[in-house]
Amino acid sequence: MQSASEQPEQPEHAYPDHWEADVVLRDGGTARIRPITADDADRLVGFYEHVSDESKYYRFFAPYPRLSAKDVHRFTHHDFVDRVGLAATIGDDFIATVRYDRIAPDGRPASAPADEAEVAFLVQDAHQGRGVASALLEHIAAVARERGIRRFAAEVLPANTKMIKVFTDAGYTQKRSFEDGSVRLHLDLEPTDRSMAVQRAREQRAEARSVQRLLAPGSVAVIGVGRAPGGVGRTVLRNLLTAGYRGTVHAVNKNLGEGPHTLEGVPAHRGLADIGEPVDLAIVAVPADQVPAAVADCGEHGVRGLVVLSAGYAESGAEGRERQRALVRQARSYGMRIIGPNAFGIINTAEAVRLNASLAPQMPAAGRIGLFAQSGAIGIALLAGLHRHGAGVSSFISAGNRADVSGNDLLQHWYDDPATDVVLLYLESIGNPRKFTRLARRTAAVKPVVVVKGARHSGSAPPGHRVPVTRVPYATVSALLRQAGVIRVDTITELVDTGLLLADQPLPAGPRVAILGNSESLGLLAYDACLTEGLRPQRPLDLTTGATPDDFRAALAAALADDGCDAVVVTAIPRVGEDGAGEGGGEGGRGTSRGVDVLAAALRAAVAAAPGPAKPVVVVHVEMGALAEALSAVTRTRPTGTASVAVAPPQAVAPAPTPTPALVPEPAAPRAAADSAVPVPVPAAEPTTPGAIPAYPAAERAVRALAESVRYADWRRRSATDPGRVPEFDRIDESAAAGLIARVLRTRDAHARGVTLDCDETTDLLGHYGIRVLPTLPAPAPTRPSGPPPASVSRSRSRPPRPICATAPTSAASGSTWPPRGSCAPRTPNSPRPSASPRSSSPSSRRWCRAASTPSSAPPSTPPSAPCSPSAWRVPPPNCSATCPTGWSPPPTGTPPTSSVPSAPRPSSSAGAARRPSTRPRSKSCCCGSPGSSTTIPRSSRSPSNRWSSRRAVCPCSAPASASPRPALTRHRPRPAPPPLLLIGAAGPGPPVRGS
C-alpha cells in the first residue's frame, strides 16, 4: 500500500468557485457550501474530532477514531472532475462533508467516460436534523451532472435510517438492494418532477423559517442606544416598548460605565456578553465603521438575525459596496441573516408578538396585508395610506439595500402564513428574476400578489442594490409578471387601492358590474371607467339625490341577488333633505352626522343578507370622508393562525399587558415527512361575514382596483391550477446532432464566432430535432442580351443612379405626350427632383416616382433584354433593358442625346385660358436608352396638390421575365410592401425566392 507521499499526483484543475453557495437550513440558519481544498487539512481533522463514534461507524462501517495522514490527504486533494469533495461551513468550521469518486462498473476508480460515482456523507451530530445532508446532496448532484456523472451509488448500514431517509426523500429515481449486510442504493441524477418539488419544498420551508425567526423573536437587543434622548437607537427602543412587545428587550451601549444602567426603563449593557441570556434579534444602529465589531459580538453570542439600520454602504459608492459585501460575508459566517443595511425596520402586528423594530412612530393596526418595501420613504407612505383607510398589516419589512433578505424570502414566508391574505410589494430591483417569477406564480395561486415597480425606465439599479442590470423593456417585464398572476400597478396609490379591495372583498366571478347611487353624473363616470378598464357595466341605476339609506339597502340587495352581475359599484354624495340641508358632509367633507353611520350600516346589512355567492362591493363617495371611516370600522372575521412557538414573557419594566407566555403564529403547511413533503397550497380563506367595504374618493380609482381584481380572478380560474406542461418530443436525436456538430468543428477551422453550415448540414441538423425544412427553390436566372453594354455606361460606380420614371398626361391640343408614355430614365445624383403630374381624369395620366435607393451588392455586368416588373424589382443595375413592360417605355426614336422638347400644354379650365407651359431641360441617363440623354420636364406637371411622392416606383430592368408588372400608381398612400420570407438554409445557385 502506498503512503500519502507515494501516491501519484493527480492533474490539477482550476478551483471551481461557481460551486460556492450560501444555503438556508431547515431551522432558518445559514451555512456556506464550498469545495474542499488542500488548505482544509486542519479544519477536516478538527471537524472529525467533533463527530461521535456512532456517526464514524456509520460512515466507515467500523470503529475509526481518527484520520490518518493518508486519509487527510485523500479527503483534501481533489481533481474536481473524478474526485470532488464539498463541505458545509459555519464561520471557519466544517459542520458536514460529502464526496464522490467516479467508479467503473466493477466498482474500481475510473475516469470519464464512466458516468457513475460513489457518494458518502458525514454530518456532525450537533447539526444533524437541520437539513444539512439534503442541501449537500442537491449540490453534489448538480456538480456531478456538470462533470458528466449520471448515477450515484451509495452503501449504507441498515441501522443508519437518517441517511437512508435522505436518499429516499431526495425524489430521484432509485434502485435498492441488500448486499453483504448493507443497503446498496443507486440514484439516477436526472432531475424529475418529484426531485424538483422536493428541492423547492425544502427551500421554501428553510427560507420561510428564517424570516419567521426575524419576525417573531423571543428577545431583542438594540445596539447603539444613546444616553441622551433622540437618535436612531433610542427611537427604535422607544417604539419597541410603546408597541407592547411581548418578549424581553435589552439596550446595548459600549460607552456605558461600570455598574447597572437603564435606558427607557430597560436594562442597558456594554455588550451582549453582559446580558447573560440568549438574544434572538439584534437591531444595529451604530455608525458603519462600528458595525463589524457589533456583528462579531452578535455572532459569538448566538444571535440569529440582524436588522442593520446603519447607512453608509453600497448607496454611498465603491467603498460602501465593498463594506456591504464584507458585512454579508461576516454575518453568514455566523449563520445569521440580515435585513438591510440602510433599512427602515420590521413590524409584526400579531397579538402574540407586537414587534415594532422600526422607525415608524406608531404601531399599525393588525390586518391581513403583508407589506414589503425596499424604500423606507415608500414604506412610510404605504403605512400611512393604509392607516387612513382603516386597514392594517400582518407584517411589514423595509429591507433597504436588501443585501441578504429580499422580496423572494418574504414570498416564501407569506405563501403559507395564515395571518396574511394579500401581499403588497414595492420593488426597485429584482435580484433573481427567474426565482421571483416562480415564487410569485406559486404564491399568486393561493393569495393575491400586487407589485409596483420603481426605477422602471432608468436602465440601472438603484444605489445600494447590487443586482445585474437588465435591458429588457419594462413592457416585457410587465407581461411576464401578469403571466405569473402578479397584479402589476403603476403607482403607490393604486397599490393601496387594490390591496384594500382584495383584503376584505371576495373575488368577482366575472366582469359584469352593476352601478347604483344617488348621483347620475357620478354613475356615468363609473360607467365610463368600467368601459375603459374592459369591464361590462350595466346601465347605472339613479336613486336620485333624495335617496334614503333604506333605498340604498334595497337597491344593493337587489343587485347582489341578480345573477347577471358579478360586482357592484355604489356611488354616494351627501343627501339633500327637504329643507335643503345636506347630510353626511360635515366640516371639510369628513361627515360627522348620524346619516353617514346609518348609510354605512345599511350597506353592510345588504351585503350580509345577500344570498348566493359573495360579490365584491366598492363605494365611490364625494366629500363623505366619514362614510369611508364608517365602512372600514368593522371587525374582520378571517381565521387567524394557530399558536405553536413560545415566546419569553416580557420584563416587568416593559409596558406589556400581561407577563404570561405568548404564542407566535407559525406556518402551518401540512407535510408528511421532513424532507419529502411538497408544500400544499393554503388558499386564503374568504370572509365568513362581510368585512370592510372599501370606499374611494374617485370613480376611476375604485373601478381600476375592481378591474385588477377581475383580471386576477380570471387568471386564477384559468391558469393557476394548470401551469402547463413541457412537451416531450419523440423525433429528437441529440446524439446525432452532437455528432454532426463535432464532425463539422473537426473538419473546419472553428473561429471564435463559429462556423457556417451549408444547406445540407443545416437541413440535417434541424432534422435531428424533428424540424422539417422545405426545399429551397432558386429563381430562374434572367436572360442577358448578346451585345455588349453601351460604352458610355460607367462600370466603376459602386452605387448605380436611382432611376426616376415619369409619364405626363395626354396633351389636350395635340393628343401627344411628353415624355413618351411609360418612358423611364435613371436619376443622376445632382439632377433636380421632378414634380408630379396634375390630377387628370384621363386614363393615360401618370405620376412621377422614384426607385428605391438600396444599392445592389452585385449588379449584372450586362443589361437584361427581357421585360421586367416594377413589383419584383428592388435594386437598380447600372444598365437597363431597352424593352420595358406596360407603363414603361423607352425614349422616342430619334431623340438626340441632349435636347429640349416642349411639354404638352396644360388643359384649360372653365375659369380661363391655358397658360403657356414652361420647360426645364434636365440631363438624364435613361435606363432604357443611351446614357447622357436629355429630357425636359413640363412645369405644368408640377401642381401644389400633387408634389413629389414619397412612394417609390421601381425601374423594371433586373426582375425575372416571369414577374408580373406593377399596377398603376394612385395618389393614395401605398400599402407597405410585405416583408420577404426568411428561408432557412443556404442559398442555391440563384437568388432565393421571396414572397409575402
Side-chain angles (χ1 to χ4, degrees):
M1 179 180 299
Q2 292 178 319
S3 63
S5 60
E6 296 173 345
Q7 289 185 351
E9 292 293 334
Q10 298 293 331
E12 295 184 359
H13 294 271
Y15 177 81
D17 52 4
H18 64 283
W19 292 352
E20 297 183 358
D22 294 305
V23 297
V24 183
L25 303 180
R26 184 181 303 158
D27 60 353
T30 62
R32 184 168 185 80
I33 296 178
R34 64 172 180 83
I36 299 175
T37 65
D39 298 332
D40 295 321
D42 294 338
R43 298 184 185 90
L44 182 63
V45 173
F47 156 74
Y48 194 77
E49 291 176 353
H50 290 83
V51 177
S52 66
D53 293 339
E54 182 183 24
S55 297
K56 294 175 182 177
Y57 182 85
Y58 286 154
R59 168 63 177 87
F60 296 103
F61 294 7
Y64 216 85
R66 65 185 58 86
L67 296 175
S68 64
K70 176 183 176 181
D71 295 329
V72 173
H73 185 277
R74 183 164 61 93
F75 293 155
T76 57
H77 288 71
H78 306 94
D79 59 7
F80 302 121
V81 176
D82 299 327
R83 296 185 302 106
V84 173
L86 301 180
T89 64
I90 295 181
D92 201 38
D93 301 326
F94 285 5
I95 63 171
T97 62
V98 62
R99 60 176 287 110
Y100 78 70
D101 293 88
R102 196 189 299 260
I103 58 174
D106 58 358
R108 300 176 62 85
S111 299
D115 59 356
E116 185 174 358
E118 189 173 38
V119 65
F121 295 79
L122 185 59
V123 182
Q124 278 186 0
D125 296 70
H127 297 278
Q128 293 180 7
R130 301 183 63 194
V132 181
S134 299
L136 283 174
L137 178 57
E138 294 176 11
H139 284 75
I140 197 71
V143 169
R145 287 193 296 268
E146 180 182 332
R147 297 310 192 193
I149 295 175
R150 296 292 175 262
R151 290 181 302 280
F152 270 165
E155 199 168 349
V156 187
L157 290 176
N160 192 0
T161 56
K162 293 181 180 179
M163 199 66 241
I164 294 177
K165 182 176 177 57
V166 169
F167 287 115
T168 303
D169 294 341
Y172 295 112
T173 303
Q174 60 178 274
K175 297 179 181 179
R176 183 184 303 189
S177 61
F178 189 79
E179 302 175 4
D180 300 330
S182 63
V183 179
R184 185 75 175 178
L185 298 172
H186 292 269
L187 280 72
D188 188 346
L189 300 183
E190 187 68 24
T192 63
D193 291 342
R194 184 168 179 269
S195 67
M196 296 301 298
V198 168
Q199 293 179 19
R200 291 172 179 174
R202 186 201 64 79
E203 174 191 64
Q204 189 273 331
R205 288 194 303 271
E207 294 180 357
R209 178 58 182 158
S210 68
V211 175
Q212 179 69 14
R213 294 202 313 180
L214 295 170
L215 290 175
S219 59
V220 176
V222 183
I223 302 175
V225 179
R227 286 173 288 186
V232 175
R234 193 70 175 257
T235 301
V236 173
L237 179 62
R238 184 171 57 253
N239 294 342
L240 271 170
L241 301 176
T242 304
Y245 173 58
R246 300 293 191 259
T248 56
V249 181
H250 304 278
V252 177
N253 187 334
K254 67 175 184 177
N255 296 322
L256 294 176
E258 298 293 338
H261 299 274
T262 61
L263 294 173
E264 295 288 343
V266 301
H269 312 275
R270 298 182 61 184
L272 294 180
D274 300 332
I275 294 179
E277 61 181 78
V279 175
D280 295 328
L281 179 67
I283 313 298
V284 181
V286 298
D289 57 348
Q290 301 178 21
V291 171
V295 173
D297 191 19
C298 293
E300 293 171 0
H301 292 86
V303 176
R304 295 183 173 184
L306 302 173
V307 177
V308 181
L309 307 181
S310 309
Y313 286 88
E315 78 280 0
S316 62
E319 182 179 353
R321 287 193 293 270
E322 181 57 37
R323 187 183 298 117
Q324 181 169 302
R325 286 191 288 264
L327 170 64
V328 174
R329 289 194 299 266
Q330 184 184 18
R332 288 178 175 174
S333 68
Y334 292 106
M336 297 184 295
R337 300 215 69 181
I338 298 177
I339 292 179
N342 196 25
F344 183 76
I346 61 176
I347 296 175
N348 186 357
T349 63
E351 189 61 29
V353 183
R354 301 289 300 173
L355 174 70
N356 182 12
S358 74
L359 297 174
Q362 184 177 359
M363 181 73 167
R368 314 293 304 175
I369 297 176
L371 183 59
F372 174 81
Q374 292 181 355
S375 166
I378 298 298
I380 296 174
L382 289 172
L383 291 175
L386 293 173
H387 176 73
R388 284 195 303 269
H389 291 83
V393 300
S394 61
S395 53
F396 164 76
I397 296 92
S398 174
N401 293 358
R402 64 158 197 74
D404 182 16
V405 175
S406 67
N408 290 348
D409 299 285
L410 272 299
L411 285 176
Q412 299 278 37
H413 166 69
W414 284 323
Y415 167 69
D416 56 2
D417 179 23
T420 302
D421 294 332
V422 180
V423 175
L424 304 184
L425 303 174
Y426 170 75
L427 304 175
E428 293 178 347
S429 61
I430 301 176
N432 189 340
R434 185 186 300 273
K435 182 178 180 180
F436 175 81
T437 304
R438 172 172 58 86
L439 298 183
R441 182 183 184 91
R442 185 188 62 180
T443 305
V446 296
K447 58 188 66 174
V449 178
V450 190
V451 173
V452 59
K453 177 71 169 61
R456 299 193 296 264
H457 307 295
S458 63
S460 62
H465 294 219
R466 302 303 302 160
V467 298
V469 177
T470 177
R471 299 296 180 183
V472 177
Y474 179 67
T476 304
V477 177
S478 178
L480 179 65
L481 294 179
R482 288 199 179 277
Q483 187 180 20
V486 175
I487 302 173
R488 188 204 58 79
V489 296
D490 294 326
T491 65
I492 297 300
T493 301
E494 293 179 7
L495 184 69
V496 174
D497 291 345
T498 308
L500 290 174
L501 176 62
L502 295 170
D504 292 296
Q505 293 296 307
L507 295 178
R512 301 169 299 178
V513 181
I515 304 173
L516 60 94
N518 62 350
S519 172
E520 181 180 7
S521 300
L522 199 55
L524 291 177
L525 288 176
Y527 183 88
D528 293 339
C530 288
L531 293 178
T532 302
E533 294 294 336
L535 303 180
R536 293 164 52 190
Q538 300 177 357
R539 184 179 299 274
L541 175 61
D542 183 17
L543 303 179
T544 73
T545 56
T548 64
D550 290 337
D551 297 332
F552 274 93
R553 179 174 56 190
L556 179 56
L560 292 175
D562 182 9
D563 294 336
C565 85
D566 303 308
V568 182
V569 176
V570 179
T571 62
I573 62 173
R575 176 173 173 262
V576 179
E578 295 181 356
D579 57 355
E583 297 182 2
E587 182 180 356
R590 302 304 299 166
T592 58
S593 67
R594 182 176 177 274
V596 170
D597 296 332
V598 175
L599 177 58
L603 296 177
R604 292 198 301 267
V607 173
K615 300 177 182 179
V617 178
V618 297
V619 173
V620 179
H621 66 88
V622 174
E623 295 301 323
M624 297 181 67
L627 178 61
E629 297 177 1
L631 289 173
S632 63
V634 296
T635 303
R636 289 158 174 78
T637 58
R638 300 192 183 216
T640 57
T642 58
S644 60
V645 178
V647 178
Q651 291 178 279
V653 294
T658 56
T660 56
L663 298 176
V664 177
E666 184 78 349
R671 54 177 182 264
D675 292 329
S676 62
V678 178
V680 178
V682 183
E686 299 295 345
T688 56
T689 60
I693 300 176
Y696 304 91
E700 293 78 10
R701 290 173 56 180
V703 172
R704 189 176 297 113
L706 182 61
E708 296 293 352
S709 179
V710 169
R711 286 187 282 265
Y712 168 71
D714 180 66
W715 174 87
R716 196 156 155 179
R717 285 189 298 268
R718 292 185 297 103
S719 304
T721 57
D722 185 15
R725 296 288 184 271
V726 178
E728 296 183 1
F729 301 97
D730 298 331
R731 297 183 301 167
I732 294 180
D733 191 349
E734 294 183 356
S735 60
L740 186 149
I741 295 174
R743 183 173 64 257
V744 170
L745 294 178
R746 284 196 308 268
T747 56
R748 302 184 191 177
D749 294 334
H751 300 286
R753 299 179 61 89
V755 298
T756 302
L757 302 180
D758 59 28
C759 185
D760 293 337
E761 292 169 342
T762 303
T763 303
D764 293 342
L765 180 61
L766 295 177
H768 293 321
Y769 287 93
I771 302 174
R772 187 171 65 91
V773 180
L774 297 177
T776 302
L777 302 177
T783 59
R784 300 182 182 275
S786 57
S792 59
V793 176
S794 174
R795 297 169 183 254
S796 61
R797 291 177 60 111
S798 60
R799 178 171 179 173
R802 298 183 297 180
I804 296 179
C805 311
T807 59
T810 304
S811 170
S814 61
S816 61
T817 61
W818 200 101
R821 181 180 180 183
S823 65
C824 59
R827 175 187 175 193
T828 59
N830 297 324
S831 62
R833 177 173 293 179
S835 62
S837 62
R839 178 181 301 183
S840 173
S841 59
S842 171
S844 62
S845 64
R846 297 291 186 265
R847 293 190 59 191
W848 291 95
C849 53
R850 64 175 178 175
S853 60
T854 306
S856 173
S857 59
S861 59
T862 58
S865 60
C868 44
S869 166
S871 63
W873 183 87
R874 285 192 177 275
V875 182
N879 303 313
C880 274
S881 168
T883 304
C884 295
T886 303
W888 306 83
S889 62
T893 306
T895 301
T898 303
S899 64
S900 297
V901 183
S903 64
R906 185 184 186 92
S908 60
S909 61
S910 60
R915 293 179 301 175
R916 179 180 179 182
S918 62
T919 60
R920 296 180 62 188
R922 297 183 182 181
S923 178
K924 297 291 180 182
S925 298
C926 181
C927 66
C928 301
S930 60
S933 62
S934 174
T935 60
T936 303
I937 303 172
R939 187 179 299 277
S940 60
S941 65
R942 303 173 61 191
S943 66
S945 62
N946 196 6
R947 294 187 180 277
W948 177 258
S949 173
S950 61
R951 293 170 292 168
R952 297 182 177 182
V954 291
C955 185
C957 302
S958 61
S962 60
S964 60
R966 177 184 292 272
L969 299 174
T970 65
R971 298 185 66 246
H972 300 288
R973 191 173 186 87
R975 182 175 301 174
L981 178 65
L982 176 62
L983 299 179
I984 301 176
V993 176
R994 296 180 181 269
S996 59

